[in-house]
């Protein structure tokens, strides 16, 4: 049923005898008053916790089998005292969490008298609590307290409609920021931020976006606002704990949604500040570069170990250990190898960097020649090989 906006709309409802239902309730004008504000909040929250619905104040009704039917328009609500602003304030102050998407229509029947229409859509941010601390749901044509399972069922609706807009408080270094972000995957429309009445910005004017809102906030858009230096704020008269309401049009339900954000700056007192992720990445890159440099140096040292390695690995004799120590110190002036400690030609091959035949000749010449003759007499001897023998073999 469409929300009536004119006297003609109301007359049509009366002519058609549209009965009260799960989504519709008629009330006489006296029910729209300060004395009945708790009852108003109970009925509005019941519609939101159910499937949505509409209250029309200013209709005389006739009861048939406990169901009300519209009979006529009564004298109307005195809007000079209790108009749209009054009822909006009542609903905002007394229903928790705050309802979103509530529409209020004022249909004038005279200068200061009107029929008041309140439409509350089905809520995806409930359950909503009435002033008496109870949760109500619409059953047939009355508002009744909800069972526990019904409360949990309404609470589970939130999972079907994920929030789009978030406002967070961030510390970066010593600076405090308010960060607005679209955390969803759809565009949020007509985003408004509602701060407490007594809230004032730390220094200067509140940023335009926070004061006047954003028409379109696309997915992943993140907007930080510098608030001030944290220790100055925490020691000033700046409000430390408060709630911020975020109103916006959610495209998934094509109606207004409200998110409530609680902020307590004292939570950040004595806290440590994390490094910026980019700073951490930069430090890691520097450490990695240092490790690569050390590996390259180690690789250079290992190359020198070829000169003292055995056929199946390192021959860790005392001489070898001493030579390893020299390598680690960057000294390639090795201690000569005692050729009599070699049990194969392979060690001599590696020490002198020669083939097996030449290694055998050197070994036999130095170990078995009696009396030992000069190494220059070894067939195929060169000046380079002779120099290696003098330096590396004794």
């Amino acid at each position: 049923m469409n929300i009536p906006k004119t006297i003609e709309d109301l007359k049509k409802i009366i002519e058609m005898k549209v009965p009260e239902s799960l989504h519709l309730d008629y009330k006489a004008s006296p029910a729209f008053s300060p004395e009945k504000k708790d009852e108003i909040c109970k009925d509005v929250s019941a519609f939101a916790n159910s499937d949505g619905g509409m209250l029309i104040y200013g209709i005389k009704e006739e009861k048939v089998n406990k169901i009300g039917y519209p009979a006529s328009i009564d004298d109307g609500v005195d809007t000079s005292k209790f108009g749209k602003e009054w009822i909006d304030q009542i609903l905002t102050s007394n229903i928790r969490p705050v309802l979103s998407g509530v529409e209020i229509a004022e249909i004038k029947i005279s200068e200061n008298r009107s029929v008041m229409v309140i439409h509350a859509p089905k809520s995806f941010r409930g359950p909503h609590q009435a002033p008496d601390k109870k949760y109500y749901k619409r059953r047939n044509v009355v508002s009744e307290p909800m069972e526990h399972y019904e409360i949990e069922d309404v609470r589970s609706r939130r999972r079907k409609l994920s929030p789009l807009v978030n406002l967070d408080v961030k510390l970066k270094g010593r600076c405090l920021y308010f960060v607005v972000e679209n955390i969803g995957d759809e565009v949020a429309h007509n985003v408004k931020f509602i701060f407490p009445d007594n809230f004032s910005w730390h220094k200067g004017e509140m940023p335009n976006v926070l004061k006047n809102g954003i028409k379109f906030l696309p997915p992943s858009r993140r907007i930080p606002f510098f608030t001030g230096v944290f220790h100055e704020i925490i020691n000033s008269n700046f409000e430390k704990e408060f709630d911020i309401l975020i109103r916006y049009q959610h495209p998934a339900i094509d109606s207004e949604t409200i998110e409530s954000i609680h902020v307590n700056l004292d939570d950040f007192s004595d806290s440590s500040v994390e490094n910026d992720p980019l700073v951490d990445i930069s430090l890691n890159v520097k450490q990695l570069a240092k490790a690569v440099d050390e590996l390259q140096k180690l690789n250079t040292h290992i190359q020198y170990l070829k000169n003292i390695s055995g056929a199946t690995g390192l021959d860790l004799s005392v001489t070898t250990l001493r030579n390893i120590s020299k390598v680690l110190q960057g000294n390639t002036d090795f201690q000569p190898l005692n050729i009599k400690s070699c049990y194969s030609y392979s060690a001599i091959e590696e020490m002198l960097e020669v083939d097996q035949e030449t290694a055998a000749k050197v070994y036999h010449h130095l170990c078995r020649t009696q009396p030992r003759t000069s190494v220059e007499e070894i067939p195929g001897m060169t000046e380079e090989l002779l120099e290696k023998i003098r330096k590396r073999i004794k």
Side-chain angles (χ1 to χ4, degrees), residues 251-295:
I253 57 174
D254 195 29
S255 66
E256 187 182 71
T257 299
I258 291 183
E259 311 292 351
S260 180
I261 308 296
H262 183 73
V263 176
N264 188 348
L265 298 183
D266 287 327
D267 292 341
F268 294 89
S269 296
D270 303 320
S271 63
S272 58
V273 180
E274 294 181 318
N275 282 337
D276 188 296
L278 292 178
V279 174
D280 289 336
I281 292 172
S282 176
L283 291 174
N284 289 337
V285 169
K286 289 180 180 178
Q287 291 174 353
L288 182 60
K290 184 177 180 181
V292 169
D293 184 56
E294 292 296 326
L295 285 173

Side-chain angles (χ1 to χ4, degrees), residues 3-6 55 84 103-108 114-119:
I3 302 173
K5 299 289 181 68
T6 64
L55 287 155
K84 291 175 66 174
E103 294 182 63
I104 302 171
E106 188 176 308
I107 304 172
K108 283 191 172 295
S114 299
V115 172
M116 301 298 296
V117 181
I118 303 175
H119 177 263

Side-chain angles (χ1 to χ4, degrees), residues 32-35 77-87 106 116:
F32 199 87
S33 64
E35 293 77 17
V77 175
D78 186 353
T79 51
S80 65
K81 297 179 180 179
F82 316 117
K84 291 175 66 174
E85 292 77 12
W86 177 81
I87 189 59
E106 188 176 308
M116 301 298 296

Side-chain angles (χ1 to χ4, degrees), residues 296-307:
Q296 288 174 340
K297 290 180 180 178
L298 182 59
N299 183 58
T300 301
H301 292 320
I302 290 174
Q303 294 302 316
Y304 294 129
L305 292 177
K306 289 181 179 180
N307 296 325

Side-chain angles (χ1 to χ4, degrees), residues 325-340:
S325 175
K326 289 185 177 184
V327 168
L328 294 176
Q329 295 171 14
N331 182 1
T332 58
D333 186 15
F334 301 136
Q335 190 172 5
L337 176 70
N338 187 346
I339 197 167
K340 292 183 179 180

Side-chain angles (χ1 to χ4, degrees), residues 34 44 82 84 139 177 196 240 260 269 320:
V44 172
F82 316 117
K84 291 175 66 174
R139 285 193 179 85
Y177 292 83
K240 308 299 188 302
S260 180
S269 296
T320 301

Side-chain angles (χ1 to χ4, degrees), residues 225-243:
F225 297 98
F226 174 69
T227 309
V229 178
F230 180 71
H231 76 270
E232 292 180 358
I233 293 175
I234 209 70
N235 293 317
S236 70
N237 293 326
F238 187 78
E239 194 72 25
K240 308 299 188 302
E241 186 171 4
F242 50 91
D243 291 308

Side-chain angles (χ1 to χ4, degrees), residues 193 195 199-201 203-211:
F193 303 93
F195 289 80
F199 183 86
S200 60
W201 201 246
K203 288 183 179 180
E205 289 289 323
M206 180 180 289
N208 185 61
V209 165
L210 298 180
K211 183 167 60 175

